[in-house]
Amino acid sequence: MNDFIQACITANEEIAKALENGTDSVLFEKTDVGAGGDVSSRLDLFAESVFIKHLGRFGQIESEESGIIGEGDAKIIIDPIDGSSNALSLFPYYGTSVARVNAEGILDAAVVCNLANGDLFFKTPGEPVQQGKLFKEGFHLSQSVPASEIGLFEKAYAHPALVAMMDALGLKFRAPGAIALSLAYAHTVNFVLFVGAFRIYDFAAGLALCEGLEVVVEQDYVIVSKDKNVVKTLEEIIRKVKTIQEEDKHGI
C-alpha cells in the first residue's frame, strides 16, 4: 500500500469518526452551489476540508464542492460525500470517492469508501482491486458473486419507461443513490446502470474499480456488468426507449 492510499484511508477514518456519534445539526445546513452544480452542504465541505488536509501534498485537488484547489503535477479528483442526500437523510448508503491522475495523465490510484458500513475499496496500477474495512487491518481481493440477483440502477426515478421494460424482462434492481459506491459494488451485483449526463467527480474512481468487468461508457449512459448478455440487453432496452421517445416527439 502506498502513501497516497494510506492518506486516503486516514482521511476516511477521520470523517467516519466525526459521524459515528450522530450527525451534528450544523452539517445539515446548505450553503452555495458547488463546482459540480449541486448545492453543497456543510457536511460536504467538512469532508472536503479533511481530504485537502491529508491529500493536498500529493497534487492539485479538483473537488465537486470547491473546484480547483492548490497546485501540483498530479490531479486528485474527489467527491467528498458520494450520496450527499442519503447522508443528510441518515440513509446508510453514502461515502467518498478519490481518484488520482498522475503527470502523464494516467489514473494511478482510486479509492471509494462506504462511510455507512466501513467498506473500503482501492486500486493501484498492475494490482487487482482490494477491499477492506475502516479501522481494521488487512485487505483482500474484492468480492465477486457469480449469480447476483439484483442490479443497481442509479437515477431510476428519472426513467420510468426504462424501469417498465426492465421489469417486464425480470431485471431486478435497486436505486440506492450513490454512483461511486454502486460502481465499487459492481463485482457483487448483476449490473450497474446510470442514464443521463454524468460528471468526472462521480465516475473517475468508481470506474477504475470495475477492472475485469464489461464496461460501456456512452455520452448519456454507463453500464457495468460481469455478463456480456446483460450489457447487450440493457443497451437494447435503452435504444428502444430512445426510439419510442423520438417517435412521440415527432408525432409518429
Side-chain angles (χ1 to χ4, degrees), residues 93 121 131 142-154 171-176 179-193 210 213-214 223-228 230-231 234:
Y93 194 81
F121 307 81
Q131 179 178 351
S142 182
Q143 295 175 323
S144 181
V145 178
S148 312
E149 295 199 2
I150 63 164
L152 301 176
F153 184 0
E154 293 290 352
L171 287 170
K172 295 181 180 179
F173 66 84
R174 305 292 182 263
I179 183 58
L181 275 187
S182 291
L183 289 168
Y185 289 115
H187 289 269
T188 64
V189 297
N190 190 22
F191 61 84
V192 177
L193 172 63
C210 296
L213 302 175
E214 299 295 322
I223 303 171
V224 179
S225 179
K226 299 183 289 288
D227 190 333
K228 290 182 179 180
V230 170
V231 172
L234 289 172

Side-chain angles (χ1 to χ4, degrees), residues 104-183:
E104 288 72 44
I106 298 170
L107 195 153
D108 65 6
V111 181
V112 174
C113 180
N114 185 339
L115 292 171
N117 68 4
D119 282 350
L120 186 135
F121 307 81
F122 73 84
K123 177 78 175 69
T124 53
E127 298 293 334
V129 177
Q130 298 290 307
Q131 179 178 351
K133 287 279 189 180
L134 292 180
F135 308 109
K136 292 187 178 181
E137 295 293 329
F139 288 85
H140 54 82
L141 295 180
S142 182
Q143 295 175 323
S144 181
V145 178
S148 312
E149 295 199 2
I150 63 164
L152 301 176
F153 184 0
E154 293 290 352
K155 296 191 73 174
Y157 60 84
H159 305 283
L162 278 174
V163 169
M165 286 192 180
M166 290 168 68
D167 180 55
L169 292 175
L171 287 170
K172 295 181 180 179
F173 66 84
R174 305 292 182 263
I179 183 58
L181 275 187
S182 291
L183 289 168

Side-chain angles (χ1 to χ4, degrees), residues 11 36 46 51 83 99 173 186 210 214 233 238:
F46 163 71
F51 279 119
F173 66 84
C210 296
E214 299 295 322
T233 297
I238 291 170

Side-chain angles (χ1 to χ4, degrees), residues 74-91:
K75 177 172 285 188
I76 302 163
I77 303 163
I78 67 171
D79 184 353
I81 297 292
D82 177 42
S84 297
S85 295
N86 289 349
L88 295 175
S89 302
L90 300 182
F91 178 70

